[in-house]
Amino acid sequence: MSKLSSMWVLTLRLSVAGFWLFFASQRWFNRGWVEELFVEAASGNYIPFYGNVLRELTASWEVLTLTITALETAVGVMFLVGIYPRIAAVIGTFIAANLWLTFSFCDCLWNRQDPAQVFWFYYSALLLNLAILREKNQPSIIRHRRK
């Protein structure tokens, strides 16, 4: 892998780490605002089976929020440090796919105002995690000592 390719992979991974850590940090100390957002997205979701699952999960929104926040934080830290980045990319892809399906395919206020922005915001997160997953060589920000 050339130096330029390594720098691109490292930059991509660190950028996606920042993405996950930023959005996880929004819920580290205050998760109350998530309930209204999630309930509205679940009730307005028009994907047949997926929407039904979301509506069932609204009763346990706080447990779901804590789980997603912990996973987003773990993915961000794993990307940042370079520990198991492909496993982190699988988890990040799963989270991004769920966010994309939840918030991009619902009859909600934010989709009526600017559906393209909502769609591409979550879809780009999905694609960036897939791009990291695709990379076989993941450069580390921590240098390995030579013996």
Side-chain angles (χ1 to χ4, degrees):
M1 180 179 262
S2 71
K3 286 262 191 207
L4 185 60
S5 295
S6 292
M7 288 305 296
W8 164 248
V9 171
L10 183 61
T11 302
L12 175 65
R13 197 180 76 220
L14 293 177
S15 299
V16 176
F19 173 87
W20 286 123
L21 288 173
F22 173 76
F23 286 102
S25 71
Q26 302 298 306
R27 294 179 307 273
W28 284 343
F29 303 109
N30 180 12
R31 290 174 300 281
W33 59 272
V34 176
E35 180 180 16
E36 181 181 340
L37 186 72
F38 181 66
V39 169
E40 183 179 351
S43 65
N45 195 294
Y46 49 80
I47 299 175
F49 177 73
Y50 191 77
N52 294 336
V53 170
L54 288 176
R55 285 184 278 284
E56 291 293 322
L57 289 173
T58 55
S60 58
W61 71 270
E62 193 161 15
V63 173
L64 183 67
T65 302
L66 282 170
T67 304
I68 296 298
T69 303
L71 285 173
E72 287 178 354
T73 303
V75 167
V77 169
M78 289 168 75
F79 279 152
L80 189 65
V81 179
I83 299 172
Y84 302 115
R86 295 187 86 186
I87 293 172
V90 168
I91 298 168
T93 300
F94 178 74
I95 296 169
N98 280 300
L99 289 170
W100 177 58
L101 291 171
T102 301
F103 294 109
S104 296
F105 297 97
C106 69
D107 184 26
C108 304
L109 176 64
W110 56 84
N111 273 347
R112 287 190 293 273
Q113 290 177 343
D114 197 357
Q117 181 181 4
V118 173
F119 177 86
W120 285 106
F121 178 77
Y122 291 112
Y123 192 61
S124 63
L126 174 67
L127 292 177
L128 290 172
N129 279 278
L130 285 172
I132 294 172
L133 180 62
R134 182 187 161 277
E135 293 300 325
K136 290 176 181 48
N137 297 325
Q138 297 284 340
S140 177
I141 59 172
I142 302 171
R143 298 253 183 222
H144 298 289
R145 289 181 16 162
R146 295 181 189 206
K147 295 184 179 187

